[in-house]
Structure formats: C-alpha cells, structure tokens
Amino acid sequence: MHPVSIVIPTLNEAEAIGAVIREIPPAYAGDIIVADSGSTDGTQDIARAAGARVIEAGRGYGRACALGARRSRARSAADATRSARRARARCDGRHRSAGSPNAFPSTTSRTC
C-alpha cells in the first residue's frame, strides 16, 4: 500500500477533527492536509497536534479542496494524475477516495 495525500477541508471542526485524523489508517497517511477556511474554535491547533499539516485556504469548500490538492506532496503532477492517490475526507466521519467510495471505512458515527 502506498501512502496518499489526504485533504480535509475544515471550518470550525474542533470537536471532530482530532478523531477524524487519528482514524485514518497509518498505511494511507502519507500527507494529511487540513485546508482550513478560517476556523475560530481551535481547529488548526487540534489538527496539528493530531499530526496534520494545516494550510490557510480562505473561504469556500471547493477552494479548500483545490488548494489542499495543489499543496499535496505528490512526487510530480504526472504521478498525481497517473496514480489517483489523492483522497479527501469529510469531517462527518464518511470518507471518500477518487477510486473507491469505501476506501476508508468509518469507525465513528460522529457528525460535525
């Protein structure tokens, strides 16, 4: 299994973000990026403490996803395109990957 870049867009998700990051299987967790949209509840600090890299993304879910993908640590643009190893996780405990809707089955029923 090769590690992937995981982008988690956030806005005031302090209550759930630590658990979401910790439940990502270590085999997948090559680069966990929290693309924050200006949280005021400590989301960024909790995400960093859980092992994520936090970037300021500005407002908007789409913007956060796109900026997170651009900042991922793919070896090259060709590698990122060829391997489709980027994933995004939603803070509501449901995880999605470009290749499989059940790539990271959730172990929590927590919602944000």
Side-chain angles (χ1 to χ4, degrees), residues 33-58:
I33 301 167
V34 169
D36 190 72
S37 294
S39 294
T40 59
D41 65 349
T43 296
Q44 303 96 328
D45 292 334
I46 295 168
R48 282 186 195 99
R53 181 165 51 112
V54 177
I55 60 172
E56 297 299 323

Side-chain angles (χ1 to χ4, degrees), residues 9 11 24 36 53 67 96 98 107:
L11 177 60
I24 297 169
D36 190 72
R53 181 165 51 112
L67 184 59
R96 301 286 186 254
T107 59

Side-chain angles (χ1 to χ4, degrees), residues 3-68:
V4 296
S5 292
I6 299 170
V7 177
I8 307 172
T10 59
L11 177 60
N12 294 326
E13 304 291 354
E15 190 174 312
I17 192 63
V20 169
I21 293 167
R22 285 188 296 274
E23 77 176 39
I24 297 169
Y28 290 110
D31 186 20
I32 301 171
I33 301 167
V34 169
D36 190 72
S37 294
S39 294
T40 59
D41 65 349
T43 296
Q44 303 96 328
D45 292 334
I46 295 168
R48 282 186 195 99
R53 181 165 51 112
V54 177
I55 60 172
E56 297 299 323
R59 290 287 189 167
Y61 180 82
R63 178 184 298 205
C65 290
L67 184 59

